[in-house]
Amino acid sequence: MLIARVVGTTISTIKDPKVRGRKLLILRQTNETGEMIGKAYVAVDLVDAGVDDLVLTGHGSSARQTYLTKDCPVDAVVMAVID
């Protein structure tokens, strides 16, 4: 799991049917002080997060273990908003 900041949203007009209807967010990983590091990446939003939210993300096979993403072709999911 990684902590990241939501920096934007994106859309896709053509995608796998298993991912249709899911919101896609653009994220950047943060360090322990909240400073953004690394490259931006896209994750499927499971918790209705918004721009500037600090979120907890799951990656790889863990991203496909949620009820909503079971057997879906996803590599990253937003699974919590950090208060």
Side-chain angles (χ1 to χ4, degrees):
M1 292 186 284
L2 298 173
I3 297 173
R5 179 138 340 249
V6 180
V7 296
T9 62
T10 189
I11 60 169
S12 173
T13 56
I14 300 171
K15 56 185 144 195
D16 187 283
K18 292 181 180 180
V19 196
R20 280 198 188 123
R22 304 278 181 239
K23 186 166 68 168
L24 302 175
L25 297 176
I26 302 170
L27 308 174
R28 282 198 56 200
Q29 185 179 347
T30 63
N31 63 16
E32 64 278 358
T33 64
E35 179 185 352
M36 288 188 278
I37 57 175
K39 295 180 181 181
Y41 62 95
V42 175
V44 174
D45 181 23
L46 303 179
V47 295
D48 201 27
V51 174
D52 288 331
D53 282 345
L54 200 59
V55 296
L56 185 63
T57 62
H59 300 266
S61 63
S62 296
R64 295 181 292 280
Q65 298 302 314
T66 73
Y67 174 75
L68 297 173
T69 58
K70 186 74 173 162
D71 300 322
C72 289
V74 299
D75 188 54
V77 295
V78 175
M79 59 186 155
V81 175
I82 298 173
D83 295 327

